[in-house]
């Protein structure tokens, strides 16, 4: 029997998670909750997902000719797990409702750190999420950081991490966000929330993060400096990157920007150009004794999608080993193996 | 008698240096060399600078009604010092011609490191430039780095520097440069040229720099991590910043972006909105024992202008103390003292 998944919020993350759920062998999309009948709902309809909305909006949807399967609460009666991909902070308000219907919950990184017991990354704490009631999948930047640091920690213990995060200003569709010119130091007083969020996943760690917002929509870029407990070789670090799921390596002689990367992805990797992986520039990796620096890109719209899928499996509890869940997710979504 | 200065190349830097020279009590603009009669020449004419051009272009200029005072070589007969602000690499080709006419030379950071004996910053090596034949004023980013590191080094010896430079993609007028979308890791293999260039000014130093180009025209932003020989206090570091010329401090509660900064400058600091200073966010300064991190903005079009002025004075050799030259330059250009 498949895990019945409801998607609440069908925006940037919701639509991608719904599509990814629909491709998994052990899951199905029971329905999508959409509060406004804007353009995004038509893509959900075309994909054949049952549409649900707020009770007060049912008539509005029907007047637009949208076939509504029921209300938000109707959907909750019929699902095992909800992926809440509503705007930051809305998920927390929905939590009691989910609990009332006995539905397990996957929240996104915009929700408060303490909303669930577990701030989730599949590589790190699948076991803690196993059969839990609720997990919070950390944000795109934090997911990128956690993967990269997890890979390093396989080589040697992390003593300290200093990261500069150049954030995309908005997603393409976000017409009210900025900047469209200039660089924004956000926050001006460090750390950015990423340091706190990484610790929510990895535990106590000497980490400091600065974030600069840039006028771009395509992807974030992170520059990492880490000190490890031991001196390390470039070979060891590269090997750790190569053997960590959801990390791919590219070289500067092939491409050097998020722009080329996204175009490359559309053409050669995936139809929609989504990039689920941390894309590390292998020539950016610099080793100096126990010091490691490197740079990677994070596609903010897509990077948390595989983590959402694994989070669903962990909560459902049928697959107990993270490696197994990751393997299924990555095979279905075609993650990794770009240059094989 | 005033120092007679010729400006070769009247683009982003040339026009600003010419204007700044014209304001100094001890200098005058003897002429401006312009190779193409585009819009920029009309601003030079309006300011009353004598216009010179290549021999082959004199007729073209005259046909457009531009009053040409003579050829490039005519100007060289009549000046003490040339500021060469031609596109990167062109200055090196001009050097022999300048030498032939016995004219001293100020080049820009786009020229090769070894073009002159001295890669110049007024705070660091005015004495080495004194009465020399030639100096190379380092680029905008390097100038920003050198100032910031010089300030730190007043507190304690620099053990290591790791810097992330988020570069503006182009100046406003540069219609053929990019990116207009995406982030470019440039180069993908570190260090960026800035590390090498900083060492050309400061001497041997453990410095590593990564540079990311962003789609913005307004200013660069640098995130610095430095290790010092001793533990330091925030007070000591702030005091060093406050007492270093050409550094100003702003707070995140006033502004947090290069966009607001440039708008603020236009309105409150200077008519044209040029920013000659390193603008450090005081709340970005983070101290951890002997580790210091902080962030500042560098207005790429303007930051080297005061250094060019001091370079002229050093070569002329009439003012032997850097502090005296800096004081005159900064007073004339209204540098510093933003919030007094």
């Amino acid at each position: 029997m498949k895990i019945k998944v409801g998607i609440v919020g069908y925006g940037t993350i919701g639509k991608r998670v719904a599509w990814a759920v629909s491709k998994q062998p052990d899951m199905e999309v029971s329905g999508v909750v959409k509060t406004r009948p804007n353009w995004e709902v038509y893509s959900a309809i075309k994909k054949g997902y049952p549409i649900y909305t707020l009770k007060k909006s049912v008539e509005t949807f029907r007047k637009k000719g949208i076939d509504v399967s029921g209300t938000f609460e109707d959907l909750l009666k019929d699902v095992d797990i909800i992926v809440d991909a509503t705007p930051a902070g809305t998920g927390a308000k929905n939590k009691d409702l989910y609990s009332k219907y006995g539905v397990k919950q996957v929240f996104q990184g915009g929700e408060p750190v303490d909303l669930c017991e577990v701030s989730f990354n599949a590589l790190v704490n699948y076991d803690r999420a196993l059969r839990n009631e609720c997990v919070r999948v950390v944000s795109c930047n934090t997911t990128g950081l956690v993967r990269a640091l997890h890979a390093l920690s396989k080589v040697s213990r992390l003593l300290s991490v200093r990261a500069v995060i150049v954030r995309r200003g908005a997603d393409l569709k976000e017409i009210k966000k900025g900047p469209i010119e200039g660089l924004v130091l956000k926050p001006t007083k460090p750390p950015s929330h990423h340091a706190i969020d990484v610790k929510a996943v990895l535990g106590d760690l000497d980490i400091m993060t600065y974030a600069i917002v840039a006028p771009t929509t395509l992807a974030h870029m992170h520059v990492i400096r880490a000190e490890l407990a031991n001196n390390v070789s470039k070979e060891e670090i590269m090997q750790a990157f190569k053997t960590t799921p959801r990390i791919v390596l590219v070289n500067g002689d092939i491409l050097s920007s998020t722009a080329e990367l996204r175009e490359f992805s559309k053409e050669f990797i995936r139809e929609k150009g989504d990039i689920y992986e941390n894309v590390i520039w292998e020539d950016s990796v610099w080793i100096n004794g126990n010091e490691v620096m490197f740079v990677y890109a994070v596609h903010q719209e897509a990077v948390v999608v595989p983590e959402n899928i694994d989070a669903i499996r962990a909560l459902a509890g049928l697959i107990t080993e993270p490696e197994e869940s990751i393997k299924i997710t990555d095979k279905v979504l075609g993650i990794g193996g770009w240059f094989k």
Side-chain angles (χ1 to χ4, degrees), chain A:
Chain A
M1 218 176 71
K2 292 189 173 186
I3 307 165
K4 297 168 82 171
V5 181
I7 313 289
V8 179
Y10 194 76
T12 301
I13 301 301
K15 73 177 74 164
R16 286 176 168 82
V17 172
W19 180 85
V21 164
S22 76
K23 299 292 177 191
Q24 304 301 314
D26 52 347
M27 302 178 190
E28 64 183 26
V29 178
S30 299
V32 160
V33 176
K34 192 84 185 70
T35 54
R36 286 185 311 137
N38 73 343
W39 57 276
E40 289 178 309
V41 78
Y42 294 95
S43 107
I45 292 165
K46 193 163 181 189
K47 289 201 166 66
Y49 308 142
I51 307 298
Y52 293 79
T53 188
L54 303 178
K55 199 171 181 179
K56 65 177 182 186
S57 304
V58 171
E59 273 316 297
T60 313
F61 274 58
R62 288 193 173 142
K63 274 182 192 155
K64 287 190 177 288
I66 298 166
D67 184 16
V68 177
S69 299
T71 66
F72 187 0
E73 301 201 19
D74 290 337
L75 177 65
L76 297 180
K77 292 171 195 160
D78 194 38
V79 295
D80 301 312
I81 292 174
I82 281 290
V83 175
D84 184 299
T86 55
T90 308
K93 291 177 194 156
N94 291 337
K95 192 171 190 307
D96 284 348
L97 188 66
Y98 302 144
S99 299
K100 178 181 154 191
Y101 284 93
V103 173
K104 296 186 175 201
Q105 309 121 36
V106 176
F107 291 102
Q108 307 305 312
E111 303 305 325
V113 173
D114 58 358
L115 185 64
C116 305
E117 188 196 327
V118 181
S119 282
F120 181 79
N121 180 277
L123 296 172
V124 177
N125 55 17
Y126 188 95
D127 58 322
R128 288 186 58 213
L130 201 62
R131 300 191 189 104
N132 213 315
E133 287 303 303
C134 155
V135 295
R136 170 179 168 266
V137 173
V138 291
S139 71
C140 47
N141 277 308
T142 306
T143 295
L145 285 163
V146 167
R147 286 181 188 166
L149 299 179
H150 174 76
L152 291 185
S153 72
K154 294 196 291 185
V155 181
S156 177
R157 190 166 55 83
L158 288 166
L159 294 184
S160 71
V161 176
R162 305 290 178 255
V164 177
I165 296 162
V166 184
R167 296 174 57 181
R168 67 85 182 88
D171 300 337
L172 184 60
K173 69 162 194 165
E174 293 178 314
I175 56 181
K176 291 181 183 174
K177 281 180 77 173
I180 59 168
E181 169 64 296
L183 300 168
V184 186
L185 181 60
K186 192 175 176 183
T188 50
K189 184 179 166 64
S192 63
H193 73 86
H194 310 100
I196 298 149
D197 222 19
V198 164
K199 285 192 266 196
V201 184
L202 292 180
D204 194 34
L205 174 66
D206 174 7
I207 179 168
M208 175 52 70
T209 55
Y210 285 74
I212 292 171
V213 187
T216 178
T217 68
L218 301 177
H220 310 296
M221 216 182 251
H222 295 185
V223 184
I224 304 293
R225 177 192 184 275
E227 275 186 31
L228 302 173
N230 305 307
N231 284 8
V232 292
S233 70
K234 181 150 181 177
E235 290 64 36
E236 289 173 293
I237 296 296
M238 298 311 285
Q239 188 59 21
F241 287 153
K242 281 177 190 162
T243 56
T244 299
R246 298 169 190 173
I247 287 181
V248 293
L249 295 162
V250 297
N251 197 287
D253 61 13
I254 294 178
L255 52 82
S256 64
S257 66
T258 60
E260 297 160 302
L261 187 60
R262 290 292 306 281
E263 183 85 354
F264 176 72
S265 175
K266 250 188 287 189
E267 194 78 13
F268 294 97
I269 313 289
R270 291 169 198 118
E271 215 174 294
K272 288 183 294 188
D274 278 2
I275 300 176
Y276 301 120
E277 299 92 341
N278 280 35
V279 183
I280 299 181
W281 271 276
E282 56 188 1
D283 38 352
S284 77
V285 180
W286 178 70
I287 313 282
N288 177 39
N290 71 328
E291 182 184 8
V292 181
M293 292 188 77
F294 57 102
V295 183
Y296 55 87
V298 172
H299 177 201
Q300 77 284 354
E301 297 166 312
V303 79
V304 300
V305 171
E307 308 300 327
N308 271 273
I309 298 299
D310 292 328
I312 293 167
R313 274 205 197 92
L315 295 187
L318 301 173
I319 290 176
T320 55
E321 295 304 315
E323 295 77 14
E324 197 185 341
S325 176
I326 289 171
K327 204 170 162 185
I328 299 168
T329 305
D330 289 6
K331 187 168 181 223
V332 170
L333 298 180
I335 293 177
W338 285 17
F339 301 105
K340 275 176 190 161

